[in-house]
Amino acid sequence: MQKFTLKARDTYLKRMVMFQDTEMIKVITGVRRCGKSSLMKLMVKHLLDTGIDYDQIFEMNFESIRFPNMDARGFYEYVKARILPEKRMYLFFDEVQRILGWENAVNSFCVDFDCDIYITGSNAYWLSSELSTYLSGRYVEIKMLPLSFKEFLDFHGYTVTIKESPTGTLKRRITDQSGDIYDERELFNEYTRFGGMPNLADVGLEIDRVIAILDGVYSAAIVNDILEHENRRGQRTVTNVILLRKIIMFLANNIGSNVSATSISNMLVSEGLLEEKSRKKPAVHTIQRYIEALMEAYILYEVKRFDIKNREYLRTLGKYYIVDMGLRNYLLGYRDGDREKILENIVYLELLRQGYSVANGKIANHEVDFIATKMDEKKYIQVTENMNVPETRERKLVPLRKIRDHYEKIVIALDCDLTQTQDGIKVLKIIDFLL
């Protein structure tokens, strides 16, 4: 496979194209190295392919040393000097939050020039505060994630084809560029182990190279998107890098479990995860701020609990999921015994990619892994490793049977022989769900 080629991310590109040449500023957000800069280049290519002149396109990447210590005024003047009069300009600003007061400059571009604006950022705080304050109602967020399983196969040179057998059933086949056939379960195992960071496709899945890439992702997210950002906004709450790593490791180890800041604080002490000389329990509000910082850097995602019977969100014991399985394995080491947690995390991220809002369900004393909603659509979803084991099957089906509405109820499993239960609950293999 050719190295460093620009690979398609059609789901995200289509959304950008949908809002092309509108007054809406296109804001691409996501964890470090998930492909935001490449998406900008894909959009530039789309513009050129559709007849836009190259001189109408202007790009700035604020991680480049070309733009050191630039402030909002310098940013504005630099762009203004390069605007072509009487032509519509397409402005691309990568990691724009590194410019103090950037929102004033971008707001002025909208007012002063005939332009279409695209920006990226790797910290949610600037979206929820600066962006919403200065550009309220004039931006659309495009939330990027690392590669889906389908994208993972494409990036690593595999092709998925569907063929109809003589009996009329559909058969899926995965081949490489030489036409060799690969076992989809083995490829899925690679995905769960190495994750979906796009630049892994450039270096291959050799473990030392993967670790080097993931270490770079982690370091960039922690240093640039948490510690530096805390300094820029004048807050010094998140300062202890060791404590930050221990919190993310605890949450990565407990993905899909109901946890609170209090339980994290207690566990750090009881499991000896704090140094002996600092065994004083961290304040709950400190733990909470560290968790918020990890969420703002798009490393962690929180899922709120929803009481299905009483139809209300609960304030306590949410769940957390990590943005990428490779990053989790980098932090904790690969653990095959965590398979059900890993599957649940993968399903959660896929639901986000498909545009669902996701909550964790509670009904009586039972848990429903996900309530996925989109417009007037709703699905109740359970995730398990093996639906063929009677005890596991009942454990996953009982909560769904207690829900008394007409919305779709699904169990997604790694292994399952059923396609539907007697209750009408659909059963899907996870690879079918992802592909």
Side-chain angles (χ1 to χ4, degrees):
M1 184 175 67
Q2 184 180 357
K3 302 293 186 183
F4 307 110
T5 54
L6 198 60
K7 302 288 288 186
R9 302 294 298 273
D10 289 343
T11 300
Y12 305 110
L13 182 60
K14 287 176 182 177
R15 185 160 171 78
M16 291 182 74
V17 172
M18 182 189 306
F19 290 96
Q20 179 186 333
D21 289 321
T22 68
E23 67 173 6
M24 307 294 282
I25 296 170
K26 278 63 71 176
V27 183
I28 310 162
T29 61
V31 71
R32 285 272 166 172
R33 317 280 171 83
C34 72
K36 299 185 298 296
S37 299
S38 294
L39 181 60
M40 297 262 265
K41 295 183 184 301
L42 286 167
M43 187 64 196
V44 168
K45 182 178 184 301
H46 165 77
L47 293 173
L48 295 172
D49 290 345
T50 54
I52 302 298
D53 292 337
Y54 186 76
D55 59 5
Q56 292 176 255
I57 298 170
F58 180 68
E59 302 174 77
M60 295 178 75
N61 186 334
F62 291 103
E63 291 194 302
S64 170
I65 201 170
R66 291 176 57 204
F67 310 111
N69 304 318
M70 182 177 279
D71 59 12
R73 169 56 64 178
F75 178 25
Y76 178 84
E77 295 297 337
Y78 188 89
V79 174
K80 179 182 177 181
R82 288 155 178 80
I83 294 292
L84 301 178
E86 300 183 5
K87 279 195 173 185
R88 182 163 181 80
M89 298 296 295
Y90 295 85
L91 308 179
F92 292 83
F93 305 125
D94 209 348
E95 299 296 344
V96 71
Q97 83 275 0
R98 298 179 71 85
I99 301 296
L100 188 64
W102 65 269
E103 63 279 359
N104 294 306
V106 170
N107 194 48
S108 296
F109 299 151
C110 296
V111 173
D112 297 346
F113 310 131
D114 178 17
C115 60
D116 195 22
I117 300 177
Y118 303 80
I119 64 180
T120 77
S122 301
N123 191 291
Y125 177 82
W126 64 275
L127 177 64
S128 62
S129 55
E130 291 103 322
L131 194 65
S132 59
T133 299
Y134 286 87
L135 305 174
S136 180
R138 286 195 293 155
Y139 71 92
V140 58
E141 184 183 5
I142 298 163
K143 301 176 182 180
M144 284 200 81
L145 289 165
L147 304 177
S148 67
F149 182 45
K150 185 181 290 186
E151 289 175 321
F152 172 86
L153 294 174
D154 178 47
F155 269 55
H156 288 272
Y158 300 103
T159 301
V160 181
T161 55
I162 307 292
K163 291 189 176 182
E164 186 174 346
S165 70
T167 61
T169 57
L170 296 178
K171 296 289 186 180
R172 185 170 55 232
R173 187 170 68 173
I174 301 177
T175 55
D176 64 8
Q177 294 178 335
S178 301
D180 294 330
I181 299 173
Y182 284 77
D183 180 76
E184 60 184 32
R185 181 71 169 263
E186 291 181 4
L187 294 174
F188 179 70
N189 288 340
E190 287 193 354
Y191 179 63
T192 63
R193 183 177 185 185
F194 298 114
M197 287 299 174
N199 47 359
L200 293 183
D202 296 327
V203 301
L205 296 181
E206 183 181 312
I207 189 64
D208 290 341
R209 293 179 178 181
V210 170
I211 290 173
I213 291 290
L214 295 174
D215 180 69
V217 172
Y218 177 81
S219 299
I222 296 301
V223 174
N224 296 330
D225 299 325
I226 295 181
L227 301 180
E228 283 188 13
H229 189 79
E230 287 276 307
N231 289 333
R232 284 200 299 272
R233 74 180 187 183
Q235 294 191 10
R236 300 283 297 168
T237 311
V238 180
T239 57
N240 188 331
V241 178
I242 296 174
L243 179 58
L244 186 64
R245 186 179 179 96
K246 286 174 178 174
I247 290 172
I248 186 177
M249 288 179 70
F250 176 86
L251 291 171
N253 188 45
N254 289 278
I255 52 175
S257 300
N258 295 122
V259 296
S260 66
T262 301
S263 66
I264 294 170
S265 181
N266 292 338
M267 194 63 66
L268 288 172
V269 173
S270 66
E271 292 193 359
L273 295 177
L274 297 178
E275 298 296 331
E276 192 66 36
K277 62 183 178 181
S278 61
R279 292 292 291 275
K280 182 180 177 182
K281 187 188 300 183
V284 169
H285 67 83
T286 300
I287 297 290
Q288 189 59 49
R289 177 63 203 120
Y290 276 59
I291 294 172
E292 289 170 358
L294 290 164
M295 291 166 58
E296 287 168 358
Y298 302 102
I299 297 171
L300 292 177
Y301 289 79
E302 182 183 22
V303 177
K304 300 290 188 182
R305 296 182 84 203
F306 185 79
D307 188 321
I308 297 171
K309 183 178 179 180
N310 296 318
R311 297 184 181 180
E312 63 181 5
Y313 282 95
L314 304 173
R315 295 185 178 181
T316 58
L317 294 177
K319 292 185 176 185
Y320 294 91
Y321 295 95
I322 195 166
V323 70
D324 180 68
M325 284 298 97
L327 192 58
R328 179 181 189 263
N329 292 329
Y330 157 77
L331 289 164
L332 300 177
Y334 182 72
R335 304 177 182 185
D336 194 52
D338 289 349
R339 183 59 64 92
E340 191 154 302
K341 290 182 179 181
I342 292 170
L343 298 176
E344 192 175 318
N345 204 124
I346 288 171
V347 169
Y348 169 72
L349 294 174
E350 185 64 22
L351 290 171
L352 293 188
R353 290 188 190 95
Q354 295 180 15
Y356 288 98
S357 297
V358 184
N360 165 236
K362 172 187 177 294
I363 184 161
N365 296 321
H366 300 282
E367 296 281 329
V368 176
D369 291 330
F370 301 121
I371 307 170
T373 57
K374 181 165 56 177
M375 303 295 286
D376 58 350
E377 179 186 356
K378 182 185 291 187
K379 298 179 180 180
Y380 299 102
I381 299 171
Q382 297 279 59
V383 183
T384 186
E385 181 176 1
N386 194 331
M387 195 61 174
N388 298 325
V389 178
E391 296 81 3
T392 303
R393 183 165 61 244
E394 282 305 298
R395 176 170 57 86
K396 289 296 180 178
L397 290 176
V398 166
L400 296 179
R401 289 172 179 149
K402 288 183 176 295
I403 302 171
R404 304 299 184 187
D405 64 30
H406 64 281
Y407 293 111
E408 189 173 23
K409 300 168 182 66
I410 305 169
V411 180
I412 297 174
L414 181 63
D415 295 308
C416 57
D417 296 331
L418 298 171
T419 58
Q420 185 168 299
T421 70
Q422 292 179 343
D423 315 82
I425 297 171
K426 184 186 296 184
V427 183
L428 277 177
K429 290 184 178 179
I430 191 169
I431 296 178
D432 294 337
F433 171 72
L434 296 173
L435 294 182

